[in-house]
């Protein structure tokens, strides 16, 4: 599933391609046809992301809400001589002409594509945790949930009500970078630990927005610095533990492990991320 940085990059691309332009809105597949007809020929005002949710704004405080889910794709093409006919199951097409050239964007395979009011949009945002990529994010909102919970920090980081936009890659890598076992109870963290993790997450995800990939290894652990081969994986990026089960930790050489938590795979180094043992006196 795309993580938050992907949605923020997509919002920027959509705004650059269509904001302030009259847009033809259609649903070649037909599932969004009625809503598309209400927006067709309107000026697209802009797009923004909150965590893994994408909102495309039109006049009258109307929003196309998109959640890509596991297989969704939203491809944006700009400055074209012609807009081609749709191919495959296109749920939503945005198209604009004039100016520097023709542009279009096709949405396929998304979990959600719906026409929402501002009230619906605001309600979802209110239920979501802070998004580390957004400048208005308040990390203490997430901390209030974490410090009260006995649930594993590995699960809390993936809970979109606690923290918006973090997926399995950022979860695994953040915990490794802070030498924290994924099953450590949230209420055993100190506020200073959380603040350090938040600052790190803000930097990592901002870099993901800039580059379009997730790179989490420090300079001394890059392929060039270590003299190792670059990682080969569909997800791209240089990482410490994500999807490296059975391989040697880049820091200590211990074999990376995996387990399932709440239906998703955990990845960690048992040496660098030792199990938490409470020092409380009983």
């Amino acid at each position: 599933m795309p993580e938050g940085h992907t949605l923020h990059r997509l919002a920027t691309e959509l705004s650059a391609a269509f904001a302030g332009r009259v847009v033809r809105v259609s649903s070649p597949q037909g599932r969004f046809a009625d809503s598309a007809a209400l927006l067709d020929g309107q000026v697209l005002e802009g797009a923004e992301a909150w965590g893994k949710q994408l909102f495309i704004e039109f006049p009258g405080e109307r929003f196309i809400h998109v959640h890509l889910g596991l297989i969704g794709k939203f491809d944006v093409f700009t400055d074209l001589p012609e807009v081609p006919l749709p191919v495959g199951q296109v749920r939503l097409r945005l198209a604009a002409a004039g100016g520097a050239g023709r542009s279009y964007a096709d949405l396929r395979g998304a979990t959600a594509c719906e026409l929402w009011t501002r009230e619906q949009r605001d309600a979802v945002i209110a239920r979501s945790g802070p998004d580390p990529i957004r400048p208005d994010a308040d990390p203490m909102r997430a901390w209030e949930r974490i410090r009260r919970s006995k649930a594993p920090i590995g699960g809390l980081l993936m809970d979109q009500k606690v923290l918006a936009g973090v997926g399995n890659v950022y979860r695994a890598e953040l915990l490794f970078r802070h030498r924290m076992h994924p099953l450590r109870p949230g209420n055993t963290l100190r506020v200073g630990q959380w603040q350090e993790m938040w600052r790190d997450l803000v930097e990592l995800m901002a870099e993901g927005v800039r580059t379009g990939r997730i790179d989490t290894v420090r300079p001394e652990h890059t392929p060039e610095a270590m003299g190792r081969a670059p990682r080969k994986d569909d997800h791209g990026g240089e990482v410490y533990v994500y999807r490296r089960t059975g391989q040697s930790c880049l820091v200590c050489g211990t074999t990376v492990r995996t387990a399932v938590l709440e239906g998703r795979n955990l990845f960690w180094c048992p040496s660098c991320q030792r199990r938490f043992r409470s020092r409380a006196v009983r």
Side-chain angles (χ1 to χ4, degrees):
M1 182 181 296
E3 305 204 23
H5 72 291
T6 300
L7 277 299
H8 281 271
R9 278 179 63 89
L10 179 56
T12 298
E13 291 177 3
L14 288 167
S15 292
F18 301 109
R21 303 175 72 180
V22 173
V23 175
R24 302 309 308 268
V25 184
S26 61
S27 179
Q29 179 198 61
R31 291 179 60 187
F32 190 67
D34 291 344
S35 295
L38 298 175
L39 303 175
D40 188 36
Q42 300 293 309
V43 174
L44 191 150
E45 296 186 354
E48 67 170 345
W50 190 294
K52 298 181 181 182
Q53 315 286 336
L54 177 69
F55 302 100
I56 307 170
E57 185 172 1
F58 285 83
E61 296 192 330
R62 295 176 294 182
F63 299 83
I64 298 177
H65 165 245
V66 173
H67 193 296
L68 292 178
L70 290 173
I71 62 171
K73 290 187 177 182
F74 208 164
D75 298 312
V76 182
F77 304 90
T78 60
D79 302 330
L80 303 172
E82 298 292 339
V83 173
L85 294 174
V87 176
Q89 297 296 306
V90 177
R91 177 92 62 90
L92 168 67
R93 167 168 281 197
L94 305 174
R102 293 174 171 83
S103 301
Y104 77 98
D106 282 349
L107 174 67
R108 297 178 174 86
T111 297
C113 176
E114 307 156 311
L115 181 59
W116 278 8
T117 64
R118 178 171 291 279
E119 288 73 18
Q120 289 173 298
R121 168 191 171 276
D122 291 349
V124 165
I125 290 175
R127 293 195 298 269
S128 300
D131 178 343
I133 300 175
R134 295 182 61 92
D136 57 355
D138 178 5
M140 300 313 289
R141 286 183 55 216
W143 170 245
E144 286 303 312
R145 287 180 174 268
I146 292 170
R147 74 181 185 89
R148 290 189 173 96
S149 178
K150 296 180 180 179
I153 185 61
L156 293 168
L157 291 177
M158 291 272 284
D159 185 340
Q160 299 300 297
K161 296 188 297 296
V162 176
L163 197 60
V166 172
N168 213 5
V169 189
Y170 282 119
R171 183 257 300 269
E173 296 301 297
L174 182 70
L175 291 173
F176 178 87
R177 286 168 62 95
H178 292 266
R179 303 179 68 86
M180 192 170 294
H181 195 284
L183 297 183
R184 177 172 175 168
N187 63 359
T188 66
L189 271 69
R190 299 185 301 275
V191 65
Q193 290 176 303
W194 168 244
Q195 289 170 333
E196 290 178 4
M197 292 171 69
W198 174 268
R199 285 191 290 267
D200 198 22
L201 190 57
V202 168
E203 292 181 6
L204 289 173
M205 296 187 76
E207 183 68 6
V209 174
R210 188 183 71 81
T211 64
R213 52 183 264 164
I214 301 178
D215 288 292
T216 61
V217 301
R218 296 184 168 93
E220 62 269 28
H221 299 129
T222 63
E224 296 79 13
M226 299 186 71
R228 60 179 176 85
R231 178 174 180 247
K232 293 183 179 180
D233 186 276
D234 292 342
H235 289 74
E238 290 294 332
V239 296
Y240 284 109
V241 292
Y242 177 71
R243 287 176 61 163
R244 296 194 66 246
T245 306
Q247 299 180 49
S248 298
C249 173
L250 300 180
V251 175
C252 73
T254 303
T255 301
V256 174
R257 293 184 184 176
T258 189
V260 177
L261 175 66
E262 298 174 359
R264 302 295 300 274
N265 288 330
L266 295 171
F267 304 91
W268 79 97
C269 169
S271 180
C272 293
Q273 299 166 265
R274 296 187 182 277
R275 277 191 174 273
F276 176 76
R277 296 287 186 264
S278 175
R279 296 180 181 177
V281 177
R282 297 181 181 276

